[in-house]
Amino acid sequence: MRIADKWNDYRILDTTDGDKLESWGGKVLVRPDPQIIWKSPKRTDMWDKADAVYHRSSKGGGEWEYRRKLPESWNIKYRDLTFVIRPTGFKHTGLFPEQAVNWDFMADKIKNAGRPVKVLNLFAYTGGATLACAAAGASVSHVDASKGMVQWARDNAAASGLSDKPIRWLVDDCEKFVKREIRRGNFYDGIVMDPPSYGRGPGGEVWKLEDCIYDLVKTCAGVLSDKPLFFLLNSYTTGLSPSVMAYILNDVLTTQRGGSVTADEIGLPVEATKGVLPCGSTAIWNS
């Protein structure tokens, strides 16, 4: 497992019985996590001192219980990047801290390329990967279907002092955008994609990751340049193992372009137990 253990402003303090106790820049939150199936004893009194707790509803969704008044948003840092944190009605805060291991990987590849690098970030959310790649010197096309998420990403870029970097902010359907880029003859040296597990399109089309991911990867391979650096694929779907994602990247890319594929779970350290909480998987094709 690859562990995102370089954080200073984010910590998992403890986990038990479906919940994780987190510190986000000193603000302590309790949020549910389906991976936490163990019912170990609580190992810190910080559980009773949490600023806010997210309660799931049996009807779906949920709501925050605020035990202390929190600002609407606040900032945390990772290395030289700054992120705006804002608890949402769907338990999220606008950032997946485990992705820091992938930010570091991409930043290193870009810095060591010795040439201009173009990166395509699909399903780009609030822009963690976009900021990491732009700060490393790449020009980035940031694509997400949610106007609100793209604006949040722009806010993160501004907070990080990266507003003047060559970033294209695009509110668009990712698959349709890629198909247009193929027709336009636009190519990228790196692709990172973090597709949702499940969703519906504007016409009511059902998106299910297991059913759609192979064709999507195959389509995206059509915008890779002649000298690509990487293709990085994330998944939070428990039914989509690292090995399955590795097989897809190998079948679509390695058989045609050479290179190699690695895949593993990614996770975050838990302070109370010195264990690691699994937070999804990443498969990476390297040229």
Side-chain angles (χ1 to χ4, degrees):
M1 182 183 291
R2 298 163 61 225
I3 304 169
D5 56 4
K6 302 296 189 294
W7 281 95
N8 291 319
D9 284 359
Y10 173 82
R11 301 150 60 205
I12 297 182
L13 307 176
D14 198 9
T15 62
T16 189
D17 199 16
D19 285 324
K20 55 186 173 185
L21 178 71
E22 306 166 291
S23 173
W24 293 84
K27 312 294 191 295
V28 179
L29 308 180
V30 176
R31 297 192 299 154
D33 190 308
Q35 298 277 19
I36 303 171
I37 62 173
W38 48 90
K39 295 181 171 63
S40 52
K42 293 179 178 179
R43 291 177 168 87
T44 171
D45 61 1
M46 291 301 294
W47 287 97
D48 299 321
K49 299 176 181 179
D51 297 300
V53 179
Y54 188 87
H55 298 287
R56 282 200 178 280
S57 168
S58 58
K59 299 177 182 178
E63 63 181 2
W64 287 96
E65 172 198 351
Y66 288 97
R67 297 175 176 174
R68 293 175 186 80
K69 185 174 178 59
L70 291 176
E72 181 180 333
S73 64
W74 63 94
N75 293 352
I76 69 170
K77 291 184 72 68
Y78 180 77
R79 301 191 188 276
D80 294 330
L81 305 178
T82 300
F83 299 99
V84 179
I85 301 304
R86 186 181 303 126
T88 71
F90 298 97
K91 87 172 181 176
H92 297 301
T93 61
L95 194 68
F96 293 101
E98 67 276 5
Q99 286 297 323
V101 293
N102 291 327
W103 305 339
D104 290 344
F105 162 80
M106 290 183 287
D108 287 343
K109 292 285 286 187
I110 292 164
K111 289 175 182 176
N112 293 324
R115 58 183 170 91
V117 174
K118 289 176 59 181
V119 173
L120 176 60
N121 186 9
L122 298 171
F123 309 97
Y125 194 50
T126 59
T130 294
L131 270 58
C133 292
S139 59
V140 185
S141 293
H142 173 108
V143 189
D144 197 282
S146 167
K147 183 178 180 180
M149 289 301 114
V150 173
Q151 182 56 53
W152 198 335
R154 293 179 74 117
D155 294 342
N156 285 334
S160 298
L162 298 173
S163 293
D164 62 342
K165 295 295 183 180
I167 304 171
R168 287 201 299 165
W169 305 103
L170 301 153
V171 180
D172 207 338
D173 177 274
C174 290
E175 186 173 10
K176 291 178 181 177
F177 174 79
V178 170
K179 289 178 178 178
R180 289 199 303 273
E181 289 291 84
I182 292 172
R183 292 195 296 270
R184 288 188 286 243
N186 290 334
F187 300 100
Y188 298 87
D189 305 298
I191 296 176
V192 52
M193 54 193 300
D194 202 342
S197 301
Y198 181 85
R200 288 188 179 274
E205 313 93 326
V206 174
W207 160 274
K208 190 176 180 183
L209 184 61
E210 293 94 327
D211 296 338
C212 302
I213 189 61
Y214 181 83
D215 288 340
L216 181 59
V217 169
K218 203 169 181 181
T219 298
C220 292
V223 292
L224 277 176
S225 67
D226 291 337
K227 296 181 179 179
L229 294 177
F230 60 83
F231 191 122
L232 190 149
L233 173 62
N234 285 306
S235 171
Y236 301 96
T237 303
T238 54
L240 201 62
S241 70
S243 298
V244 168
M245 294 197 298
Y247 193 99
I248 291 171
L249 291 186
N250 182 70
D251 184 69
V252 174
L253 295 170
T254 311
T255 56
Q256 303 296 321
R257 292 174 171 260
S260 61
V261 174
T262 59
D264 209 341
E265 288 185 290
I266 56 176
L268 289 160
V270 179
E271 292 186 0
T273 62
K274 309 303 179 187
V276 178
L277 178 66
C279 301
S281 301
T282 302
I284 302 171
W285 174 80
N286 270 290
S287 60

